């Protein structure tokens, strides 16, 4: 009925051709539901459900892209558990700062209601506060997971924009943040008894659905970012800054259409909403950073890991920590023919020196095996290595091998395990 009355008024005023009845977006007749509890009920707001749905879908897209970058499995959730709470707090603080009258009173005269600040179910989350503090929370999660924040930002940029597109529908259910009056067929109906209905307008006025404009703008941006990333493979956080440029470009004209109360800022002789100026400055800063990052060279931009936190480096670090490399180990690993710690080796005085942590080589092990023909168990390698213990007196092994007297063959082989 309200739509028909509006149509008749517009026809009489000559603003609408006769016979054309405009369609419109109806005001929502549902804004949530109650869950009964023993001590009362818990109200679940549609606004919160939209925000939650946006987070879930955004995380899904981010996890898919993050996995394709070769990130550690499950690390996206380790990062999200830090980024999401910080983002919500930051978004609320920015909203309170940009629209302070309801909380502190006009001109900060103390007539506001501070108890409204934590009541985010009523709406009011500023995207730039959410991005700044959310990025700080993501940095904490990335450091703990051993991955680069810039790599995660690139992976998360399309998902973040998709989450915003879905979350904007919470403004529809709260009947808030709409634009000025319109005669377009997609005009938004707002209940006249709603607290957000602007004063001075007829009850059947239709308004610009700025929530819908931003939602559609963001969905188009998701497709654009995905296509550009597939084509150019942005790294070092450049896709995130491209997201910031795209979002702010749309936010300037969408924000300028809104008629809800907001902090007004005058710069360069122009007075407009704080969010408009914020979007302009963020766009300029994002463009500058995007260009600077594109000129950087060096490093390994394709790796998502922090330096020294790559799986191979971590594994090598653990191995080095368990068994530190020494000069002898390096020589043996490089193919040294003399094993570290042979059974006995001469020292500077000419006497044999035994290594307490010797390693038995292949030749030593074969030499320690019993001779099937004569039953001897002496190691040939050991015989060559052992020098005369006294001035020129031959050892028992030398006497046996040369056929000269000088020792008695005991016929026992040295224990191979004793040199390990």
């Amino acid at each position: 009925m309200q739509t028909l009355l509006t149509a008749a008024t517009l026809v009489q005023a000559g603003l609408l051709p006769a016979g054309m009845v405009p369609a419109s977006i109806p005001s929502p007749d549902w804004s949530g539901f109650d869950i009964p509890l023993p001590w009362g009920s818990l109200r679940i707001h549609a606004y919160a459900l939209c925000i939650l749905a946006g987070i879930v879908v955004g995380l899904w897209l981010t996890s898919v892209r993050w996995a394709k970058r070769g990130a550690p499995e499950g690390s996206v959730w380790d990062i999200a558990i830090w980024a999401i709470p910080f983002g919500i707090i930051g978004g609320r603080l920015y909203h309170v700062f940009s629209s302070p009258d309801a909380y502190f009173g006009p001109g900060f005269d103390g007539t506001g209601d501070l108890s409204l600040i934590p009541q985010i179910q009523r709406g009011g989350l500023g995207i730039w506060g959410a991005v700044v503090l959310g990025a700080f929370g993501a940095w904490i999660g990335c450091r703990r997971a051993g991955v680069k924040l810039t790599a995660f930002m690139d992976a998360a940029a399309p998902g973040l924009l998709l989450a915003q597109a879905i979350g904007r529908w919470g403004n529809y259910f709260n009947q808030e943040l709409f634009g000025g009056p319109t005669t377009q067929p997609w005009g938004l109906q707002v209940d006249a008894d709603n607290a957000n209905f602007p004063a001075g307008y007829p009850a059947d006025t239709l308004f610009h659905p700025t929530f819908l404009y931003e939602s559609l703008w963001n969905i188009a941006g998701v497709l654009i970012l995905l296509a550009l990333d597939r084509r150019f493979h942005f790294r070092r956080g450049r896709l995130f800054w491209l997201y910031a440029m795209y979002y702010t470009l749309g936010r300037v004209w969408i924000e300028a259409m809104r008629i809800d109360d907001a902090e007004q800022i005058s710069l360069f002789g122009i007075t407009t909403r704080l969010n408009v100026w914020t979007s302009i400055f963020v766009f300029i800063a994002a463009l500058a950073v995007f260009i600077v990052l594109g000129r950087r060279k060096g490093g390994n931009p394709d790796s998502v890991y922090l330096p020294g936190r790559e799986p191979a480096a971590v594994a090598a670090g653990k191995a080095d920590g368990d068994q530190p490399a020494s000069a002898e180990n390096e020589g043996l690993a490089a193919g040294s023919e003399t094993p570290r710690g042979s059974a006995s080796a001469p020292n500077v005085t000419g006497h044999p020196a035994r290594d307490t942590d010797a390693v038995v080589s292949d030749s030593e092990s074969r030499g320690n095996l019993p001779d099937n023909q004569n039953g001897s168990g002496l190691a040939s390698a050991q015989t060559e290595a052992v020098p005369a213990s006294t001035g020129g007196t031959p050892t028992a092994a030398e006497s046996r091998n040369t056929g000269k007297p000088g020792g008695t063959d005991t016929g026992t082989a040295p224990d191979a395990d004793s040199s390990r």
Side-chain angles (χ1 to χ4, degrees), residues 370-389:
D371 192 329
N372 291 334
Q373 295 181 357
N374 55 23
S376 64
L378 292 176
S380 59
Q382 217 171 15
T383 302
E384 296 173 358
V386 178
S389 58

Side-chain angles (χ1 to χ4, degrees), residues 65 69 150-158 224-243 245 290-291 293-294 301-304:
R65 289 173 47 78
R69 293 287 306 272
T150 54
F152 181 76
M153 290 165 59
D154 282 337
I224 292 173
L225 290 180
L226 292 175
L228 290 176
D229 192 40
R230 181 185 294 271
R231 173 66 177 83
F232 297 103
H233 305 286
F234 292 110
R235 296 295 185 266
R236 296 191 175 96
R238 296 186 77 206
L239 189 66
F240 173 83
W241 294 110
L242 193 62
Y243 143 80
M245 286 188 286
F290 180 83
I291 294 174
L293 291 177
D302 288 327
S303 174
V304 303

Side-chain angles (χ1 to χ4, degrees), residues 43-237:
R43 180 68 176 174
I44 304 298
H45 293 264
Y47 178 87
L49 294 177
C50 291
I51 297 296
L52 181 60
I55 291 174
V56 171
V57 176
L59 277 178
W60 166 78
L61 179 57
T62 300
S63 64
V64 172
R65 289 173 47 78
W66 191 232
K68 289 182 179 179
R69 293 287 306 272
E73 183 178 358
S75 59
V76 66
W77 309 109
D78 297 333
I79 300 171
I81 201 172
W82 288 93
I84 292 174
F86 274 86
I88 293 175
I89 295 173
R92 187 58 173 176
L93 291 177
Y94 182 86
H95 168 74
V96 172
F97 173 76
S98 60
S99 302
D101 290 357
Y103 312 100
F104 304 101
F108 295 89
D109 59 5
T111 59
D113 187 358
L114 295 178
S115 66
L116 295 176
I117 293 179
Q119 299 182 36
I120 61 175
Q121 72 275 8
R122 295 175 176 267
L125 291 175
I127 181 59
W128 297 121
V131 169
V132 172
L133 271 191
F136 177 73
W139 175 79
I140 296 175
C142 287
R143 296 292 295 182
R144 294 170 62 90
V147 296
K148 299 175 183 175
L149 175 62
T150 54
F152 181 76
M153 290 165 59
D154 282 337
L160 177 59
L161 201 56
L162 182 58
Q164 291 174 242
I166 297 174
R168 269 302 175 197
W169 282 84
N171 300 136
Y172 167 71
F173 289 103
N174 276 4
Q175 301 191 57
E176 61 182 358
L177 308 187
F178 42 81
T182 181
T183 59
Q184 299 299 329
W186 54 81
L188 174 66
Q189 297 180 16
V190 178
D191 293 334
D193 58 352
N194 189 282
N196 295 319
F197 192 91
Y201 289 92
D204 55 356
T205 303
L206 299 180
F207 300 92
H208 277 287
T210 52
F211 80 91
L212 179 61
Y213 299 160
E214 186 170 328
S215 181
L216 295 176
W217 176 267
N218 291 347
I219 291 175
V222 172
L223 300 178
I224 292 173
L225 290 180
L226 292 175
L228 290 176
D229 192 40
R230 181 185 294 271
R231 173 66 177 83
F232 297 103
H233 305 286
F234 292 110
R235 296 295 185 266
R236 296 191 175 96

